[in-house]
Coordinates of all heavy atoms in Angstrom, one line a residue:
M8 N 0.9 -1.2 0.0 CA 0.0 0.0 0.0 C 0.9 1.2 0.0 O 1.8 1.4 0.8 CB -0.9 0.0 1.2 CG -1.8 1.2 1.4 SD -2.9 1.1 2.7 CE -1.9 0.9 4.1
G9 N 0.7 2.1 -0.9 CA 1.5 3.3 -1.0 C 0.9 4.5 -0.3 O -0.2 4.4 0.3
Y10 N 1.7 5.5 -0.2 CA 1.3 6.7 0.5 C 0.1 7.4 -0.1 O -0.7 8.0 0.6 CB 2.5 7.7 0.7 CG 2.2 8.9 1.6 CD1 2.1 8.7 2.9 CD2 2.0 10.1 1.1 CE1 1.8 9.7 3.8 CE2 1.7 11.2 1.9 CZ 1.6 11.0 3.3 OH 1.3 12.0 4.1
S11 N -0.1 7.3 -1.4 CA -1.2 7.9 -2.1 C -2.5 7.3 -1.6 O -3.5 8.0 -1.5 CB -1.1 7.8 -3.6 OG -1.1 6.4 -4.0
H12 N -2.5 6.0 -1.3 CA -3.7 5.3 -0.7 C -4.0 6.0 0.7 O -5.2 6.1 1.0 CB -3.4 3.8 -0.6 CG -4.6 3.1 0.0 ND1 -5.8 3.0 -0.6 CD2 -4.8 2.5 1.2 CE1 -6.6 2.3 0.1 NE2 -6.0 2.0 1.3
I13 N -3.0 6.3 1.5 CA -3.2 6.9 2.8 C -3.9 8.3 2.5 O -4.8 8.7 3.2 CB -1.9 7.1 3.6 CG1 -1.3 5.7 3.9 CG2 -2.1 7.9 4.8 CD1 -2.2 4.8 4.8
L14 N -3.4 9.1 1.6 CA -4.0 10.4 1.3 C -5.4 10.3 0.8 O -6.3 11.0 1.3 CB -3.2 11.1 0.2 CG -1.8 11.5 0.6 CD1 -1.0 12.1 -0.6 CD2 -1.8 12.5 1.8
D15 N -5.7 9.3 0.0 CA -7.1 9.0 -0.5 C -8.0 8.7 0.7 O -9.1 9.1 0.8 CB -7.2 7.9 -1.5 CG -6.5 8.3 -2.8 OD1 -6.3 9.5 -3.1 OD2 -6.2 7.4 -3.6
T16 N -7.5 7.8 1.6 CA -8.3 7.4 2.8 C -8.5 8.6 3.7 O -9.6 8.6 4.3 CB -7.6 6.2 3.4 OG1 -7.3 5.2 2.5 CG2 -8.4 5.6 4.6
K17 N -7.5 9.5 3.9 CA -7.7 10.6 4.7 C -8.9 11.4 4.2 O -9.7 11.9 5.0 CB -6.5 11.5 4.7 CG -5.3 11.1 5.6 CD -4.1 11.9 5.4 CE -4.1 13.2 6.0 NZ -2.8 13.9 6.0
D18 N -9.0 11.6 2.9 CA -10.2 12.3 2.4 C -11.5 11.6 2.7 O -12.5 12.2 3.0 CB -10.0 12.5 0.9 CG -8.9 13.4 0.5 OD1 -8.5 14.3 1.4 OD2 -8.4 13.3 -0.6
S19 N -11.5 10.3 2.5 CA -12.7 9.5 2.8 C -13.1 9.5 4.2 O -14.3 9.6 4.6 CB -12.6 8.1 2.2 OG -11.7 7.4 2.9
V20 N -12.1 9.5 5.2 CA -12.4 9.6 6.6 C -13.0 11.0 6.9 O -14.0 11.1 7.7 CB -11.2 9.3 7.4 CG1 -11.4 9.6 8.9 CG2 -10.8 7.8 7.3
L21 N -12.4 12.0 6.4 CA -12.9 13.4 6.6 C -14.4 13.5 6.1 O -15.2 14.1 6.7 CB -12.0 14.4 5.9 CG -10.8 14.9 6.7 CD1 -10.0 15.8 5.9 CD2 -11.2 15.5 8.0
E22 N -14.6 13.0 4.9 CA -15.9 13.0 4.3 C -16.9 12.3 5.2 O -18.0 12.7 5.4 CB -15.9 12.4 2.9 CG -17.2 12.6 2.1 CD -17.6 14.1 1.9 OE1 -16.6 14.9 1.7 OE2 -18.8 14.4 1.9
E23 N -16.5 11.1 5.7 CA -17.4 10.3 6.5 C -17.7 11.0 7.8 O -18.8 11.0 8.3 CB -16.7 9.0 6.8 CG -17.5 8.0 7.7 CD -18.4 7.2 6.9 OE1 -18.3 7.1 5.7 OE2 -19.3 6.6 7.6
L24 N -16.7 11.7 8.4 CA -16.9 12.5 9.6 C -17.9 13.6 9.3 O -18.8 13.9 10.2 CB -15.6 13.2 10.0 CG -14.7 12.3 10.9 CD1 -13.3 12.9 11.0 CD2 -15.3 12.3 12.3
K25 N -17.8 14.3 8.2 CA -18.8 15.4 7.9 C -20.2 14.8 7.7 O -21.2 15.4 8.2 CB -18.3 16.1 6.6 CG -17.1 16.9 6.8 CD -16.6 17.5 5.5 CE -15.2 18.2 5.7 NZ -14.6 18.6 4.5
E26 N -20.3 13.7 7.1 CA -21.6 13.1 6.9 C -22.3 12.5 8.1 O -23.5 12.4 8.2 CB -21.5 12.0 5.8 CG -21.2 12.5 4.4 CD -21.0 11.3 3.4 OE1 -21.1 10.1 3.8 OE2 -20.6 11.6 2.3
S27 N -21.4 12.2 9.1 CA -22.0 11.6 10.3 C -22.0 12.6 11.5 O -22.0 12.2 12.7 CB -21.1 10.4 10.8 OG -19.8 10.8 11.1
G28 N -22.1 13.9 11.1 CA -22.3 14.9 12.2 C -21.0 15.2 12.9 O -21.0 15.8 14.0
G29 N -19.8 14.9 12.4 CA -18.6 15.2 13.0 C -18.0 14.2 14.0 O -16.9 14.4 14.5
V30 N -18.6 13.1 14.1 CA -18.1 12.0 15.1 C -18.2 10.7 14.4 O -19.2 10.3 13.8 CB -19.0 12.0 16.4 CG1 -18.5 11.0 17.3 CG2 -18.9 13.4 17.0
I31 N -17.2 9.9 14.6 CA -17.2 8.5 14.2 C -16.8 7.6 15.4 O -15.9 8.0 16.2 CB -16.1 8.2 13.1 CG1 -16.5 8.9 11.8 CG2 -16.0 6.7 12.8 CD1 -15.6 8.7 10.7
A32 N -17.5 6.6 15.7 CA -17.3 5.7 16.8 C -16.2 4.7 16.6 O -16.4 3.5 16.8 CB -18.6 5.1 17.3
L33 N -15.1 5.2 16.1 CA -13.9 4.3 15.9 C -12.7 5.1 16.5 O -12.7 6.3 16.4 CB -13.7 4.0 14.5 CG -14.6 3.1 13.8 CD1 -14.3 3.0 12.3 CD2 -14.6 1.7 14.4
G34 N -11.8 4.4 17.0 CA -10.6 5.0 17.5 C -9.4 4.1 17.7 O -9.4 3.0 17.1
D35 N -8.4 4.5 18.5 CA -7.2 3.7 18.7 C -7.5 2.3 19.2 O -6.8 1.4 18.9 CB -6.3 4.4 19.6 CG -5.0 4.8 19.0 OD1 -4.8 4.7 17.8 OD2 -4.0 5.1 19.8
K36 N -8.5 2.1 20.0 CA -8.8 0.9 20.7 C -9.8 0.0 19.9 O -10.2 -1.0 20.4 CB -9.2 1.1 22.1 CG -8.2 1.8 23.0 CD -7.0 1.0 23.3 CE -6.1 1.8 24.2 NZ -4.8 1.2 24.4
S37 N -10.3 0.5 18.8 CA -11.3 -0.2 18.0 C -10.6 -1.5 17.4 O -9.4 -1.5 17.2 CB -11.8 0.6 16.9 OG -12.5 1.8 17.4
T38 N -11.4 -2.5 17.2 CA -10.9 -3.7 16.7 C -10.6 -3.6 15.2 O -11.2 -2.8 14.5 CB -11.9 -4.9 16.9 OG1 -13.1 -4.7 16.1 CG2 -12.3 -5.1 18.4
P39 N -9.7 -4.4 14.7 CA -9.4 -4.4 13.3 C -10.7 -4.7 12.4 O -10.9 -4.2 11.4 CB -8.4 -5.5 13.1 CG -7.7 -5.6 14.4 CD -8.8 -5.3 15.4
E40 N -11.5 -5.6 13.0 CA -12.8 -5.9 12.3 C -13.7 -4.7 12.1 O -14.3 -4.5 11.1 CB -13.5 -7.1 13.0 CG -12.7 -8.4 13.0 CD -11.6 -8.5 14.0 OE1 -11.6 -7.7 15.0 OE2 -10.7 -9.4 13.8
E41 N -13.8 -3.9 13.2 CA -14.7 -2.8 13.1 C -14.2 -1.8 12.1 O -14.9 -1.2 11.3 CB -14.7 -2.1 14.5 CG -15.5 -2.8 15.6 CD -15.3 -2.2 17.0 OE1 -14.2 -1.8 17.3 OE2 -16.3 -2.1 17.7
I42 N -12.9 -1.6 12.1 CA -12.2 -0.6 11.2 C -12.4 -1.1 9.7 O -12.8 -0.3 8.9 CB -10.7 -0.4 11.5 CG1 -10.6 0.3 12.9 CG2 -10.0 0.3 10.5 CD1 -9.3 0.2 13.5
Y43 N -12.2 -2.4 9.5 CA -12.3 -2.9 8.2 C -13.8 -2.8 7.7 O -14.0 -2.5 6.5 CB -11.8 -4.3 8.1 CG -11.7 -4.8 6.6 CD1 -10.6 -4.4 5.9 CD2 -12.7 -5.5 6.0 CE1 -10.5 -4.8 4.5 CE2 -12.6 -5.9 4.7 CZ -11.5 -5.6 4.0 OH -11.4 -5.9 2.6
A44 N -14.7 -3.1 8.5 CA -16.1 -3.1 8.2 C -16.5 -1.6 7.7 O -17.3 -1.5 6.8 CB -17.0 -3.5 9.3
R45 N -15.9 -0.6 8.3 CA -16.3 0.8 8.0 C -15.5 1.3 6.8 O -16.1 2.0 6.0 CB -16.1 1.6 9.3 CG -16.5 3.1 9.2 CD -18.0 3.2 9.6 NE -18.4 4.5 9.6 CZ -18.9 5.2 10.6 NH1 -18.8 4.7 11.8 NH2 -19.3 6.4 10.5
F46 N -14.2 1.1 6.8 CA -13.4 1.8 5.8 C -12.7 0.8 4.8 O -12.0 1.3 3.9 CB -12.3 2.6 6.5 CG -12.9 3.8 7.2 CD1 -13.0 3.8 8.6 CD2 -13.5 4.9 6.5 CE1 -13.5 4.9 9.2 CE2 -14.0 5.9 7.1 CZ -14.1 6.0 8.5
K47 N -12.8 -0.5 5.0 CA -12.1 -1.5 4.1 C -10.6 -1.3 4.1 O -10.0 -1.4 3.0 CB -12.7 -1.4 2.7 CG -14.2 -1.6 2.6 CD -14.6 -3.0 3.1 CE -16.1 -3.2 2.9 NZ -16.8 -3.3 4.1
I48 N -10.0 -0.9 5.3 CA -8.5 -0.8 5.4 C -8.1 -1.5 6.7 O -8.9 -1.8 7.5 CB -8.1 0.7 5.4 CG1 -8.7 1.4 6.6 CG2 -8.3 1.3 4.1 CD1 -8.1 2.8 6.8
S49 N -6.8 -1.8 6.8 CA -6.3 -2.5 7.9 C -6.2 -1.5 9.1 O -6.3 -0.3 8.9 CB -4.9 -3.0 7.7 OG -4.0 -1.9 7.5
K50 N -6.1 -2.0 10.3 CA -6.0 -1.2 11.5 C -4.7 -0.4 11.4 O -4.7 0.8 11.8 CB -6.0 -2.0 12.8 CG -6.0 -1.1 14.0 CD -6.2 -1.9 15.3 CE -6.2 -0.9 16.5 NZ -6.6 -1.6 17.7
N51 N -3.6 -0.9 10.9 CA -2.4 -0.2 10.8 C -2.5 1.0 9.8 O -2.1 2.1 10.1 CB -1.3 -1.2 10.3 CG 0.1 -0.6 10.3 OD1 0.4 0.2 11.2 ND2 0.9 -0.9 9.3
A52 N -3.2 0.8 8.7 CA -3.4 1.9 7.7 C -4.3 2.9 8.4 O -4.1 4.1 8.2 CB -4.0 1.3 6.5
F53 N -5.3 2.5 9.1 CA -6.3 3.4 9.8 C -5.5 4.3 10.8 O -5.7 5.5 10.8 CB -7.4 2.6 10.5 CG -8.3 3.4 11.3 CD1 -9.3 4.2 10.6 CD2 -8.3 3.4 12.7 CE1 -10.2 4.9 11.4 CE2 -9.2 4.2 13.4 CZ -10.2 4.9 12.7
K54 N -4.6 3.7 11.5 CA -3.8 4.5 12.5 C -3.0 5.5 11.8 O -2.8 6.6 12.3 CB -3.0 3.5 13.4 CG -3.9 2.7 14.4 CD -3.2 1.8 15.2 CE -2.7 2.5 16.5 NZ -2.2 1.6 17.5
K55 N -2.4 5.1 10.7 CA -1.6 6.1 9.9 C -2.5 7.3 9.4 O -2.1 8.4 9.5 CB -0.9 5.5 8.7 CG 0.2 4.6 9.1 CD 0.8 3.9 7.8 CE 1.9 2.9 8.2 NZ 2.4 2.2 7.1
V56 N -3.7 6.9 9.0 CA -4.6 7.9 8.5 C -5.0 8.9 9.6 O -4.9 10.1 9.5 CB -5.9 7.3 7.8 CG1 -7.0 8.3 7.6 CG2 -5.5 6.6 6.5
I57 N -5.5 8.3 10.7 CA -6.0 9.2 11.8 C -4.8 10.0 12.4 O -5.0 11.1 12.9 CB -6.9 8.5 12.8 CG1 -6.1 7.4 13.5 CG2 -8.1 8.0 12.2 CD1 -6.9 6.7 14.7
G58 N -3.6 9.3 12.4 CA -2.5 10.0 12.9 C -2.1 11.3 12.1 O -1.8 12.3 12.6
G59 N -2.3 11.1 10.8 CA -2.0 12.2 9.9 C -3.1 13.3 10.1 O -2.7 14.5 10.1
L60 N -4.3 12.9 10.2 CA -5.4 13.9 10.4 C -5.2 14.6 11.8 O -5.4 15.9 11.9 CB -6.8 13.2 10.4 CG -7.2 12.7 9.0 CD1 -8.4 11.9 9.1 CD2 -7.4 13.9 8.0
Y61 N -4.8 13.9 12.8 CA -4.5 14.5 14.1 C -3.3 15.5 14.0 O -3.4 16.6 14.5 CB -4.2 13.4 15.1 CG -4.0 13.9 16.5 CD1 -5.0 14.3 17.3 CD2 -2.7 14.0 17.0 CE1 -4.8 14.8 18.6 CE2 -2.4 14.5 18.3 CZ -3.5 14.9 19.1 OH -3.3 15.4 20.3
K62 N -2.3 15.1 13.3 CA -1.1 15.9 13.1 C -1.4 17.2 12.4 O -0.9 18.3 12.7 CB 0.0 15.1 12.4 CG 1.3 15.8 12.3 CD 2.3 14.9 11.7 CE 3.7 15.6 11.6 NZ 4.7 14.8 10.9
D63 N -2.4 17.1 11.4 CA -2.8 18.3 10.7 C -3.8 19.1 11.5 O -4.4 20.1 11.0 CB -3.5 17.8 9.4 CG -2.5 17.2 8.4 OD1 -1.3 17.4 8.6 OD2 -2.9 16.5 7.5
R64 N -4.2 18.7 12.7 CA -5.1 19.3 13.6 C -6.5 19.4 13.0 O -7.2 20.5 13.1 CB -4.6 20.7 14.0 CG -3.3 20.6 14.7 CD -2.7 21.9 15.1 NE -1.3 21.7 15.6 CZ -0.8 22.4 16.5 NH1 -1.4 23.5 17.0 NH2 0.4 22.1 16.9
L65 N -6.9 18.4 12.4 CA -8.2 18.3 11.8 C -9.2 17.5 12.6 O -10.4 17.6 12.5 CB -8.2 17.7 10.4 CG -7.4 18.5 9.3 CD1 -7.2 17.7 8.1 CD2 -8.0 19.9 9.1
I66 N -8.7 16.7 13.5 CA -9.5 15.8 14.4 C -9.0 15.8 15.8 O -7.8 16.1 16.0 CB -9.6 14.4 13.8 CG1 -8.2 13.7 13.8 CG2 -10.3 14.3 12.5 CD1 -8.2 12.2 13.5
T67 N -9.8 15.3 16.7 CA -9.4 14.9 18.0 C -9.6 13.4 18.2 O -10.5 12.9 17.5 CB -10.2 15.7 19.2 OG1 -11.6 15.4 19.0 CG2 -9.9 17.2 19.1
L68 N -8.8 12.8 19.0 CA -8.9 11.4 19.2 C -9.2 11.0 20.6 O -8.7 11.6 21.5 CB -7.5 10.7 18.8 CG -7.1 10.9 17.4 CD1 -5.6 10.4 17.3 CD2 -7.9 10.1 16.5
S69 N -9.9 9.9 20.7 CA -10.0 9.2 22.0 C -9.9 7.7 21.7 O -9.7 7.3 20.5 CB -11.3 9.5 22.7 OG -12.4 9.0 22.0
D70 N -10.0 6.9 22.7 CA -9.8 5.4 22.5 C -10.9 4.8 21.5 O -10.6 3.9 20.8 CB -9.9 4.7 23.8 CG -8.6 4.9 24.6 OD1 -7.6 5.4 24.0 OD2 -8.6 4.6 25.8
H71 N -12.1 5.4 21.6 CA -13.2 4.8 20.8 C -14.0 5.8 20.0 O -15.1 5.5 19.6 CB -14.1 4.0 21.7 CG -13.4 2.8 22.3 ND1 -13.1 1.6 21.7 CD2 -13.0 2.7 23.6 CE1 -12.5 0.8 22.5 NE2 -12.4 1.4 23.7
E72 N -13.4 7.0 19.7 CA -14.1 8.0 19.0 C -13.1 9.0 18.3 O -12.1 9.3 18.8 CB -15.0 8.8 20.0 CG -15.9 9.7 19.4 CD -16.8 10.3 20.5 OE1 -16.3 11.2 21.3 OE2 -18.0 10.0 20.5
I73 N -13.6 9.5 17.2 CA -12.8 10.5 16.4 C -13.8 11.6 16.2 O -15.0 11.4 15.8 CB -12.4 10.0 15.0 CG1 -11.5 8.8 15.1 CG2 -11.7 11.1 14.3 CD1 -11.3 8.1 13.8
K74 N -13.4 12.9 16.5 CA -14.2 14.0 16.3 C -13.5 15.0 15.4 O -12.3 15.2 15.5 CB -14.5 14.7 17.6 CG -15.5 14.0 18.5 CD -15.8 14.8 19.8 CE -16.6 14.1 20.7 NZ -16.9 14.8 22.0
I75 N -14.3 15.6 14.5 CA -13.7 16.6 13.6 C -13.6 17.9 14.4 O -14.5 18.2 15.3 CB -14.6 16.8 12.3 CG1 -13.8 17.5 11.3 CG2 -15.9 17.5 12.6 CD1 -14.4 17.4 9.9
I76 N -12.6 18.7 14.2 CA -12.4 20.0 14.8 C -13.1 21.0 14.0 O -12.8 21.2 12.8 CB -10.9 20.3 15.0 CG1 -10.3 19.3 16.0 CG2 -10.8 21.8 15.5 CD1 -8.8 19.5 16.2
K77 N -14.0 21.7 14.6 CA -14.8 22.8 13.9 C -13.8 23.9 13.6 O -13.1 24.4 14.5 CB -16.0 23.3 14.7 CG -16.9 22.2 15.2 CD -17.8 21.7 14.1 CE -18.9 20.9 14.7 NZ -19.2 19.7 13.9
S78 N -13.9 24.5 12.4 CA -13.0 25.6 12.1 C -13.7 26.9 12.0 O -14.9 27.0 12.2 CB -12.3 25.4 10.8 OG -13.1 24.9 9.8

């Protein structure tokens, strides 16, 4: 899996956040099965994606939830 796939997935996670009212019930402690069922990616790829979004200050993280930061 290349870095371009991570960038594409970042966009889809952000879009999913916007569509779901700014919150997704997945986080660092979510199971690989939950993550795959929602985004069709591995937990490792998911952690890279949400780590990038967090680093860009677009989301906040908890163990079982991701929230978009309102701008």
Side-chain angles (χ1 to χ4, degrees):
M8 176 174 59
Y10 188 70
S11 65
H12 179 68
I13 297 297
L14 293 176
D15 292 343
T16 306
K17 281 173 74 172
D18 293 338
S19 66
V20 170
L21 277 176
E22 189 62 35
E23 182 85 18
L24 275 163
K25 290 174 186 173
E26 290 175 5
S27 64
V30 179
I31 293 177
L33 291 174
D35 239 14
K36 303 289 182 186
S37 298
T38 67
E40 294 80 18
E41 291 171 315
I42 293 165
Y43 191 82
R45 185 88 179 243
F46 293 108
K47 303 296 185 247
I48 60 173
S49 69
K50 183 170 183 173
N51 189 37
F53 177 74
K54 289 178 89 168
K55 288 179 185 178
V56 168
I57 62 172
L60 292 171
Y61 181 78
K62 188 176 178 182
D63 293 342
R64 299 178 187 211
L65 298 173
I66 62 170
T67 59
L68 296 171
S69 68
D70 286 346
H71 297 283
E72 188 175 73
I73 303 168
K74 291 183 183 177
I75 196 165
I76 295 176
K77 307 280 191 227
S78 47

